Amino acid sequence: YFYVRQYRMRPGAHHTIVTDTSTGRRLSGSDINQDQPVGGIVAPENADVGIPLAAHAPISTSHHAINTGTDPLLQEIWVNFWYVDPSKVKETTTLLYDPGSITDTVAPGQNVVLGPWQCDIQSDGRLLSMWGHVHANDVRFSAWRTRGGQRDLIYEAYDWQEPLWTEFTSLVTNSPPNPTTKTGGGWSGILDLKQGDTLEWECNEDNTQSTTLYFTNQTYKGWMCIIIGELVGTSCKSRSG
């Protein structure tokens, strides 16, 4: 098992995804240079959490980089995992990964909000961390936890190049988002989830180009609005199919 991760990527990196190809499990990933958890410090409520990784497991790293210049751009990735003593692990994480829709389009000159999309919490647990994966035409990604009719904003980000990664633990205080200054932010403290809760997310896409945007890996010519995170004790069932 492991839990603490460290990502370092050269300029131009858009994302990296690490997968155990023997099981198909997505182990981790990042859009920016960062430590997960923050500073490599595990919150006390997560001391018994681990992510399984078998001995000699084959690892695949999918890396997407962008070069808008005229010269070659060197790419290099370092991903470090810190192992957890198996005798201490009582909980394993579940991946939160939902692209919402992959069929929506954004017409030339259109400024539109796509979503919200939803997934339903299947049992009591916690959301440990999350971020919104978007492309260059996105100007806002927002996510909420809805419980009994109360809709709480848990995440909002405005910078597609340096997407905000938020951790929800007893050790982390996240600043609230500021729409006026376009400063991202999110929920502070432990983010508990109960069976029957819903996670929702949406993206504001501003297409200033002369071509239609489709869901595609082409960062400047397409759009994405993917919620990504780690759950413990639960999973989130997508409504989008």
Side-chain angles (χ1 to χ4, degrees), residues 191-226:
L191 206 167
D192 71 296
L193 299 170
K194 295 185 180 298
Q195 185 176 11
D197 288 354
T198 298
L199 296 180
E200 302 180 61
W201 67 101
E202 68 181 25
C203 284
N204 184 182
E205 304 292 334
D206 185 12
N207 184 7
T208 60
Q209 304 179 67
S210 59
T211 56
T212 299
L213 302 180
Y214 297 90
F215 185 94
T216 174
N217 262 329
Q218 292 183 316
T219 306
Y220 289 93
K221 297 181 179 180
W223 72 273
M224 282 189 177
C225 185
I226 305 175

Side-chain angles (χ1 to χ4, degrees), residues 13-159:
H14 183 238
H15 72 251
T16 190
I17 302 169
V18 183
T19 303
D20 179 349
T21 58
S22 66
T23 63
R25 179 187 176 104
R26 176 172 170 157
L27 297 171
S28 63
S30 182
D31 286 8
I32 57 175
N33 292 328
Q34 63 182 13
D35 296 345
Q36 297 179 4
V38 175
I41 302 173
V42 180
E45 66 272 15
N46 296 331
D48 62 357
V49 174
I51 300 172
L53 179 61
H56 308 293
I59 300 297
S60 167
T61 302
S62 171
H63 183 66
H64 181 189
I66 307 163
N67 185 358
T68 59
T70 57
D71 297 322
L73 188 64
L74 176 64
Q75 284 300 289
E76 187 177 41
I77 314 161
W78 288 91
V79 183
N80 293 317
F81 294 162
W82 275 261
Y83 281 87
V84 178
D85 184 344
S87 66
K88 298 179 180 179
V89 176
K90 298 179 181 178
E91 300 180 289
T92 60
T93 63
T94 301
L95 176 67
L96 171 64
Y97 183 92
D98 197 321
S101 169
I102 61 173
T103 59
D104 285 7
T105 60
V106 183
Q110 188 176 28
N111 187 321
V112 63
V113 174
L114 300 181
W117 297 286
Q118 300 88 19
C119 67
D120 297 316
I121 298 299
Q122 301 300 292
S123 57
D124 293 358
R126 304 191 308 277
L127 180 59
L128 303 182
S129 61
M130 70 151 287
W131 80 91
H133 179 79
V134 298
H135 284 181
N137 299 283
D138 180 88
V139 295
R140 177 181 58 83
F141 182 109
S142 303
W144 298 264
R145 180 195 65 184
T146 299
R147 174 182 296 168
Q150 180 174 327
R151 194 174 190 234
D152 294 315
L153 183 68
I154 62 172
Y155 177 96
E156 192 158 272
Y158 302 91
D159 186 350

